[in-house]
Each structure stands twice: as structure tokens, then as C-alpha cells.
Amino acid sequence: MRMGLLLLSVAAVLGSALPGQATAQSRCETQRAQWSGQAFANVISIYSLEWAPFGSSEWGWGTYLPLIQKEIGTDCEPGTSDFAAAMAAFQTRYGLTATGVFDPATFNVLRGVLQERRPFVMARVRDECPEPPPLRELGYLEAPEEHADRLTRLLRRDVLDAYRRMVAAARAEVPEIRADPELLQIFSGFRDPEADAARCAAERNCDGLRRAVCSPHRTGTAVDLYVGQLLGMGVDSTHPDSRRHMSQGATYRWLVKNAGRFGFVPYLYEPWHWEWVGTASGTGTP
């Protein structure tokens, strides 16, 4: 029954494109002859795939679609042949079987690629925990930059400068962000390591997905940005519905495409968490 309803929903989506959407869809169907079957498989699985990419069960992979599109180098939707062709090219690039169909094995490779772009993660792989910066290297956020949900005061000065340039660009380029001053405010920046360790111990989730003994926030280069929230859930709720809602908004999609211009890289699991690496980064053609 569930699959029957899903197929009807997919058919409705594929058959009811608006004129502008129809033009975009035809632009993304240049590979139809070879990849139409794979395109249909992708548009089904983006809603129906039952999996646990981070330990808890999730349905579908729409939460990760903006980063997937960025990485495989297409803005085409999963139900198109060109998306399947781009997926196959990505799979070939990393030694996977070029099926053109999204699957957990492909996701694991994508996750590894993105993690390797975070210097903090690579330090942890070497069993190192970076020292916090000297206080003289930290700068204060201004009041309009702090989110009311969870006030944060400090960020490394060079990161704060990059953040401000990024926000200025986002407000200039995206009407939705320009209209809502809350979007892209910071609700967590530099966190004192001792206070963070005490908090993680109190929450009994040390070295978990939500709180680590050695957090990237101790470096002063990590920021948690407000990218919207689902009614009734927190600004950093990890519930699958919450993360999916955040990742589908214009703010997050702009970050995926443009944050690398300012030296920021994403954390795949948390749409709000970004880390500054100091240079433009990222691949693909958004």
C-alpha cells in the first residue's frame, strides 16, 4: 500500500511540472536514452529508501540532496537522466560500480570525501585534539550576528571576517535571506573546551553525534548558523524531519553552493554546522 501511494505521488510530481520546471527538466534529460531507468529508480528511492546513515533510521535521502548535487556536479533533480549520468561519473571517479543510482555505498564515499576537507576531522583521525586559539585571536560578534536561541560571543577574528563577507553576499543574492535578519545568525561559535567537556559529561553524550569531548568549536573556526527550523523543534534538532526541512530551504542551498567561496566547508549530518578552512574549497558545478 505504501509503495503504491508512493508511485502515485512520484507520477504526479513527474507529470505536473510548471512551464519553467518543464524547461529545466528537458535541459536535464539529454541522457534519457541511457539513464531513464536509473532516473526512475532515483526518484523512487529519494522518498522510499529505508536506511540508517548515521545510526538512526531515516526514510529517503532528500536531506542530503543539495550536497550530493554539488559534489557530483549537477543541479538536475534525481528524477532526470542527467542526474543519473552525473551520479555514474562520480561513482566511476571513486572506484564504485557506475550504476547511476544512489545507494548507501555511494553515500559513504561522499561522506568520506567531505570529512577529509575538514582539518579538524583529520586531526582527530591522528588522535590529536587541536588547542584553542589564544584569546587575543578571538573577536566579539555584534548583537545582530547572535541568535537569540543560544547566545555566543566569540569567534576567531579571521573567521569572523569571512563570515561577515559571506553573510553580506548571501543577503545581496537571496531575497529570502535579505528579508529575514534571523537567517545566518550564529547560535554557536567558539566554545571554551573546559566548559564544553563539562556540558558533554552532564548530557552523557560525550564523543557522540551531538556533543564531543573534543569539539571543533574549541578552535574558533566552527560556526552553527541559523538556517530555519521546523515548528516545535530546535535550531539544532537532529530529528530527520528537522534536518530535511533545513536542507530544503533557500538559505542552506545557497550555503552549499557558495560557502566555499569564503572558505567554509559543511558537516554532512548537521545543516547548520560549517567550518572555516581558510581557502575556497568544494567541487562540482552548482
Side-chain angles (χ1 to χ4, degrees), residues 205-225:
N205 188 24
C206 299
D207 287 332
L209 286 171
R210 294 300 311 279
R211 179 79 64 193
V213 172
C214 181
S215 164
H217 286 277
R218 67 165 41 222
T219 65
T221 63
V223 289
D224 289 345
L225 304 174

Side-chain angles (χ1 to χ4, degrees), residues 72-87:
I72 69 176
T74 184
D75 61 358
C76 294
E77 294 300 318
T80 63
S81 60
D82 284 31
F83 179 92
M87 177 65 70

Side-chain angles (χ1 to χ4, degrees), residues 167-209:
V167 171
R171 299 206 185 287
E173 296 171 20
V174 185
E176 176 183 301
I177 300 175
R178 184 165 58 251
D180 185 353
E182 188 177 14
L183 290 168
L184 293 181
Q185 287 181 334
I186 298 174
F187 61 84
S188 188
F190 171 74
R191 297 204 299 249
D192 176 74
E194 292 185 7
D196 215 31
R199 192 180 302 116
C200 102
E203 294 178 1
R204 298 182 180 180
N205 188 24
C206 299
D207 287 332
L209 286 171

